[in-house]
């Protein structure tokens, strides 16, 4: 069963705008990870945030985690056409620490 | 740096045929995984290997078998392919299960007719 669910399913913005994607999950987690997938390619890891962390930054990416609401958000600032991709959240929890992926948000950045 | 290498990139099978998808990583990772990706379904874990010599079922293991041949290689076998196994298959590896990032190959696009 899917653990993380991204929202929205699709997002279209103009270059230079900020993009925010959300992820909700159902059970307690050890960590939450965000990945990017360009069309026809494998997933690329962006950020890992642990359950005891609230915010992490990497370049133009900002991830927040609210364990009380069981949700996370990924903010991409000053978006570029090259940011066009699908973005997935993945959660790790339980005794076996397997990663479970959501269905993704398709981000389109228009030049 | 090759990272995770999957072969073949594309494959067409007839129902009932068998095939093995190959995966190799050169990052000395302990854990390896096979996922399938279907439209609207996200990625679903088929099998994983937390360390050399061990394999475990994921969310959708039926119709598949795996072999962790050594620390580098993790293969996925379809014994009798079915149209429901038409999908894109991704192999991934990580230093440890669930606590470190996954590194993905570029996928194998499989069509079963």
């Amino acid at each position: 069963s899917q653990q993380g669910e991204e929202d929205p399913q699709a997002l279209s913005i103009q270059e230079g705008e900020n993009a925010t994607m959300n992820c909700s999950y159902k059970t307690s987690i050890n960590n939450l990870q965000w990945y990017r997938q360009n069309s026809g390619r494998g997933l690329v890891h962006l950020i890992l945030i642990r359950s005891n962390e609230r915010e992490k930054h990497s370049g133009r990416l900002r991830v927040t985690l609210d364990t009380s609401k069981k949700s996370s958000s990924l903010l991409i600032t000053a978006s570029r056409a090259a940011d066009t991709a699908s973005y997935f959240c993945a959660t790790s929890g339980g005794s076996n620490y397997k990663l479970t992926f959501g269905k993704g948000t398709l981000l389109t950045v228009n030049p | 740096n090759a990272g995770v290498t999957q072969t073949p990139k594309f494959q067409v099978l007839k129902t009932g045929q068998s095939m093995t998808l190959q995966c190799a990583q050169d990052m000395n990772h302990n854990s390896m995984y096979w996922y399938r990706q279907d439209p609207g379904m996200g990625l679903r874990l088929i099998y994983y290997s937390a360390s050399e010599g061990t394999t475990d079922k994921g969310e959708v293991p039926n119709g598949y078998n795996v072999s962790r041949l050594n620390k580098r290689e993790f293969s996925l076998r379809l014994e009798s392919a079915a149209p429901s196994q038409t999908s894109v298959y991704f192999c991934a590896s990580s230093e440890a299960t669930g606590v470190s990032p996954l590194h993905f190959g570029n996928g194998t696009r499989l069509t079963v007719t």
Side-chain angles (χ1 to χ4, degrees):
Chain A
S1 61
Q2 299 286 349
Q3 165 75 307
E5 291 290 338
E6 294 90 344
D7 173 65
Q9 290 185 333
L11 179 62
S12 181
I13 60 174
Q14 296 299 122
E15 215 166 18
E17 294 180 339
N18 295 342
T20 300
M21 288 158 270
N22 303 297
C23 172
S24 60
Y25 57 92
K26 296 175 183 175
T27 60
S28 63
I29 61 171
N30 299 305
N31 66 72
L32 185 145
Q33 303 180 32
W34 285 92
Y35 289 79
R36 183 187 76 234
Q37 183 180 34
N38 291 95
S39 181
R41 309 283 289 182
L43 281 71
V44 174
H45 178 260
L46 297 175
I47 288 184
L48 182 154
I49 185 165
R50 293 182 173 78
S51 59
N52 60 352
E53 298 175 313
R54 292 296 167 259
E55 188 170 313
K56 285 190 86 167
H57 296 256
S58 176
R60 293 184 295 112
L61 307 180
R62 172 178 169 251
V63 168
T64 61
L65 178 65
D66 187 335
T67 53
S68 66
K69 295 182 180 177
K70 292 187 170 58
S71 68
S72 173
S73 66
L74 170 65
L75 168 67
I76 303 174
T77 60
S79 63
R80 305 166 182 168
D83 295 327
T84 293
S86 291
Y87 292 82
F88 295 86
C89 71
T91 54
S92 171
S95 58
N96 55 28
Y97 290 82
K98 289 182 294 186
L99 261 190
T100 304
F101 285 81
K103 297 178 183 179
T105 292
L106 177 59
L107 172 66
T108 302
V109 182
N110 301 300
Chain B
N1 289 337
V4 178
T5 304
Q6 290 184 236
T7 55
K9 288 185 169 56
F10 301 93
Q11 184 71 49
V12 178
L13 292 178
K14 292 187 181 344
T15 297
Q17 288 185 319
S18 63
M19 79 161 296
T20 299
L21 281 65
Q22 307 287 353
C23 175
Q25 52 93 7
D26 63 2
M27 294 170 283
N28 201 35
H29 285 168
N30 291 306
S31 304
M32 297 186 73
Y33 315 80
W34 278 104
Y35 285 89
R36 60 177 289 174
Q37 184 175 32
D38 303 291
M41 297 294 294
L43 277 83
R44 292 180 292 171
L45 182 64
I46 305 171
Y47 270 94
Y48 70 105
S49 170
S51 60
E52 186 178 357
T54 69
T55 59
D56 285 287
K57 294 178 180 178
E59 186 184 351
V60 287
N62 290 345
Y64 305 95
N65 285 302
V66 290
S67 295
R68 183 73 184 265
L69 304 169
N70 49 54
K71 193 171 186 179
R72 289 187 65 246
E73 298 172 287
F74 189 40
S75 62
L76 178 71
R77 182 160 177 84
L78 286 71
E79 290 291 350
S80 178
S84 61
Q85 294 178 305
T86 293
S87 187
V88 181
Y89 291 85
F90 288 100
C91 177
S93 70
S94 67
E95 288 186 11
T97 305
V99 297
S100 48
L102 267 60
H103 298 255
F104 282 83
N106 281 324
T108 294
R109 188 173 295 274
L110 174 67
T111 302
V112 183
T113 61

